[in-house]
Structure formats: structure tokens, C-alpha cells
Amino acid sequence: MTISELRNMTDSELKELAKQKRITKKGKCSPTSDAYQAQNILWIRAGRPFDRKEQPNDDPWGLIDSE
């Protein structure tokens, strides 16, 4: 899924996508890459309310500047 497709989704759609998991070769559950991207977009929309040790402008996926 592309970033622009994710940006056009509603918060409830992103929340459902953020829950997606896949089973690894070792039998453990791991979030999909789309789930990570959806989580990041929700995080950005929420105004980054979570406590982080990095600088406030830190965006690991480069989504803020591409708006």
C-alpha cells in the first residue's frame, strides 16, 4: 500500500490496518509493514503525544516532509 493511499484512509480504517499481523518462520506474530506505516500516520495525526527520547521532529519513515 502506498503512503498516499494510507493518508486518504480514515482513522478507524488505519486502526484496523495497524492491527494486521503475519506469522514469521519461527511461528511468532509480527506486524506487517503496512501496519507499521498505518501506526506512524496515526501517530502523526495525533500530534505525536507519546514520550520519545528522540527529537520532536524525528520521523523515521519520512512522512511529515512529504505532505
Side-chain angles (χ1 to χ4, degrees), residues 11 20 27-28 32 36 43 50 53-54 60 63:
D11 285 351
Q20 282 187 351
K28 296 183 178 183
T32 64
Y36 279 126
W43 186 51
F50 308 107
K53 293 180 182 177
E54 289 88 4
L63 298 175

Side-chain angles (χ1 to χ4, degrees), residues 3 7 13 21 27 30 37-38 41 45-47 49 54 64:
I3 300 298
R7 281 194 193 133
E13 291 172 326
K21 295 189 181 224
S30 173
Q37 290 176 340
I41 289 175
R45 286 183 184 176
E54 289 88 4
I64 291 177

